Amino acid sequence: MQVDVEGSANQIKQNTDFLKSFLMLKQLKRELPHKITVDNTVHSTLLDSLYLVTKSIYQEEGVSIPIIRSSFQVISHLSAVMNKNFPLVEIQKLVQTVLERALESKTFERKQRKELILSLSEFLTPQTRHIVLDSSVAAVESFSAHLRTVNESETPLNTQKYENIYYVFDLLQIVLENYRSQSDNNSQKINFSHDADFQTLEILNQVAERLDKCVLYISDIFPLFVCKIWLIKDNFLLNLR
């Protein structure tokens, strides 16, 4: 098993190094020979990295968080270069796998679970941040449904997942700060006459409505969870003004 772990880690590192080299050449505006071949190689290497990282997290192979995060950083930078060929479906699967395993895992230590969830902040680019936002809110929705079941029946509380969901809240806070900082860079507040800003408003409104539903019927028995959602909603309101 250890050999498999080392093999996965080494392959992920090699892929990351290759993609870094590609990005450096693009940054230097070097003309790449055999452009079609290079583009195909980059795309296949990216897909291989996504597959290996997703598999290593799903199977809890023990690949180090720094290796995973470095891979995330390079993949994120590629999103600005590849445009139409960027594999958003695979990114979504990766993000969902990270959240699912980090929330449920009994193998990862507490610090690893936190670092793994927060590593998704590397994907806060215009092309991918909506995936992180939607998947994070979906994780909160799923856990709020569990809390309602606990409140209405004799179902035991998943205490480990309860602890880990607060790392998802931290990630949501980072996502919201990203939306707000981009808005502040463009103008002092969201300009609803612009199509992009109007779309942002729609996204934030939808997420705010989803969070509202998360607190139904659990505020009395789980006040800390509900309070955290209210605090996060305050950040949405700052974006909506």
Side-chain angles (χ1 to χ4, degrees):
M1 183 67 176
Q2 185 65 27
V3 174
D4 290 340
V5 173
E6 291 178 356
S8 293
N10 288 335
Q11 187 59 55
I12 292 169
K13 287 173 65 178
Q14 289 175 17
N15 288 350
T16 299
D17 289 342
F18 170 76
L19 295 172
K20 278 182 180 177
S21 298
F22 170 78
L23 286 169
M24 287 178 64
L25 288 173
K26 294 286 286 187
Q27 191 173 21
L28 293 171
K29 297 182 179 179
R30 296 278 180 85
E31 188 64 34
L32 299 173
H34 310 295
K35 184 177 186 304
I36 294 177
T37 302
V38 171
D39 288 349
N40 288 340
T41 303
V42 168
H43 189 258
S44 63
T45 303
L46 173 57
L47 290 176
D48 188 53
S49 284
L50 287 169
Y51 167 76
L52 287 172
V53 174
T54 303
K55 180 176 74 72
S56 70
I57 294 169
Y58 181 77
Q59 297 182 355
E60 301 182 11
E61 293 178 349
V63 175
S64 73
I65 303 298
I67 290 176
I68 291 174
R69 187 151 198 158
S70 178
S71 176
F72 286 1
Q73 290 170 348
V74 172
I75 292 169
S76 179
H77 286 307
L78 280 171
S79 68
V81 175
M82 296 183 67
N83 298 322
K84 294 180 180 179
N85 291 326
F86 193 71
L88 290 175
V89 172
E90 285 78 7
I91 292 291
Q92 184 174 27
K93 182 178 180 181
L94 171 60
V95 171
Q96 291 172 344
T97 300
V98 168
L99 291 172
E100 175 187 324
R101 303 313 295 167
L103 286 170
E104 297 284 357
S105 174
K106 295 182 180 179
T107 303
F108 294 123
E109 297 178 358
R110 176 185 297 179
K111 182 180 179 182
Q112 289 177 314
R113 296 195 298 268
K114 178 180 180 179
E115 290 178 346
L116 192 56
I117 290 172
L118 293 183
S119 69
L120 295 177
S121 63
E122 300 296 343
F123 291 119
L124 298 185
T125 66
Q127 293 86 352
T128 58
R129 66 178 179 176
H130 69 282
I131 294 175
V132 181
L133 178 60
D134 181 69
S135 299
S136 299
V137 175
V140 174
E141 288 174 322
S142 176
F143 190 70
S144 70
H146 168 66
L147 295 182
R148 278 192 291 278
T149 302
V150 171
N151 188 32
E152 296 166 359
S153 67
E154 296 181 359
T155 302
L157 175 66
N158 186 330
T159 54
Q160 178 174 295
K161 198 169 182 179
Y162 184 85
E163 174 185 302
N164 295 336
I165 200 68
Y166 284 88
Y167 303 141
V168 179
F169 284 143
D170 291 341
L171 178 62
L172 266 176
Q173 186 74 32
I174 293 171
V175 176
L176 295 177
E177 289 295 335
N178 179 267
Y179 272 95
R180 185 167 59 185
S181 64
Q182 289 202 3
S183 173
D184 288 344
N185 288 336
N186 295 331
S187 61
Q188 290 305 307
K189 58 183 179 180
I190 294 175
N191 185 342
F192 300 138
S193 64
H194 293 168
D195 289 343
D197 285 344
F198 183 76
Q199 186 178 23
T200 297
L201 173 64
E202 288 294 303
I203 291 172
L204 297 181
N205 272 327
Q206 290 171 11
V207 173
E209 290 174 5
R210 291 168 67 184
L211 290 177
D212 276 337
K213 295 177 182 178
C214 288
V215 303
L216 295 175
Y217 312 118
I218 60 172
S219 58
D220 290 339
I221 191 170
F222 298 109
L224 291 179
F225 179 84
V226 171
C227 182
K228 189 67 176 180
I229 289 179
W230 285 339
L231 289 173
I232 288 176
K233 278 201 62 186
D234 281 345
N235 281 279
F236 278 110
L237 293 174
L238 288 174
N239 284 284
L240 298 179
R241 288 172 186 168

